[in-house]
Amino acid sequence: MQILEYGMTSEPLGSLLFSAIAAFLYLFMVNQPATMRRTAVKTLAVAMLAVLALIVDGPLLLIAALLACAAGDAFLAQDDERMFLAGLVAFLVGHVLYVALFYTSGAMEVVVEQPVRLLIGVAFMVFAMLATLRLVPAAGQLGPPVGAYITVIAAMGLSALLMPGWGVVFGAGLFMASDAVLAAGRFLHAGEDGSQPYGHFVWISYYLAQALMALSVLGLA
């Protein structure tokens, strides 16, 4: 990884390791009740990616997107319906920022030179349509914001296709998969006690998505 060029004791590498350690620790807290410690660990995982981007003078849009998602993590770590909606809004903002970042940093020539990206784009759109048809009715009163969220994350996936390399594209795909499984667990397959199934898959795919996109945009992957 190019980030190793900064040196083993560098601030960028330290920030990435701090982020990875927090992400690893949260794996053991996924199914635990909401606590300040659990919230802090979950939030730090992506927040430290924002710190990494800041240290290496990364794009402001990337830093803002990571911070918005870290705020979303903090909200979703709470067992509260209002906090869930706040988290949805925070992630929606994060995805809008990612769309702006990828659109301004990428180029249509990348898609033209690699037609397979068109097929991936079609797959992203089909995913969005199926998710809308299945999840929006199941979400009840949250249907409209869930529908808006699906639209924005699909736009994020499509804009990722403009970015050179495959790190951002894979990251966007993982992000979409993570959110789809999270939504299915909440609205379609939630247990009688309200617990969320598939929590470990959701967290691993989500964190890898954020790390892949951040490191790829920063040129450190």
Side-chain angles (χ1 to χ4, degrees), residues 65 67-73 75 85-95 97 149:
L67 289 176
C69 291
D73 288 332
F75 290 132
L85 185 57
L88 197 68
V89 172
F91 274 108
L92 189 146
V93 171
H95 287 309
L97 291 167
Y149 185 87

Side-chain angles (χ1 to χ4, degrees), residues 14-98:
S15 299
L16 179 59
L17 289 176
F18 198 157
S19 168
I21 290 170
F24 177 74
L25 290 176
Y26 186 70
L27 281 174
F28 300 95
M29 303 178 180
V30 168
N31 295 318
Q32 292 181 4
T35 63
M36 287 297 295
R37 181 177 64 176
R38 179 176 179 270
T39 299
V41 170
K42 184 178 186 182
T43 306
L44 275 173
V46 172
M48 291 307 298
L49 293 177
V51 171
L52 167 62
L54 182 63
I55 290 173
V56 300
D57 295 322
L60 291 178
L61 283 171
L62 173 63
I63 297 170
L66 289 167
L67 289 176
C69 291
D73 288 332
F75 290 132
L76 293 183
Q78 315 306 312
D79 294 327
D80 184 277
E81 194 71 15
R82 291 175 299 177
M83 290 297 99
F84 176 81
L85 185 57
L88 197 68
V89 172
F91 274 108
L92 189 146
V93 171
H95 287 309
V96 170
L97 291 167
Y98 272 130

Side-chain angles (χ1 to χ4, degrees), residues 81 84 88 92 127-154 179-180 182-188:
E81 194 71 15
F84 176 81
L88 197 68
L92 189 146
F127 157 82
M129 289 187 291
L130 293 176
T132 299
L133 291 173
R134 192 73 176 92
L135 294 174
V136 170
Q141 293 182 340
L142 290 176
V146 167
Y149 185 87
I150 294 172
T151 300
V152 173
I153 194 172
D179 278 352
L182 174 64
R186 181 177 182 86
F187 299 120
L188 301 177

Side-chain angles (χ1 to χ4, degrees), residues 146-204:
V146 167
Y149 185 87
I150 294 172
T151 300
V152 173
I153 194 172
M156 185 275 295
L158 292 174
S159 64
L161 298 173
L162 303 175
M163 296 293 289
W166 289 99
V168 172
V169 177
F170 288 146
L174 282 172
F175 212 146
M176 295 174 73
S178 175
D179 278 352
V181 174
L182 174 64
R186 181 177 182 86
F187 299 120
L188 301 177
H189 306 297
E192 294 181 358
D193 59 353
S195 62
Q196 295 297 307
Y198 325 123
H200 290 89
F201 171 83
V202 169
W203 176 250
I204 292 171

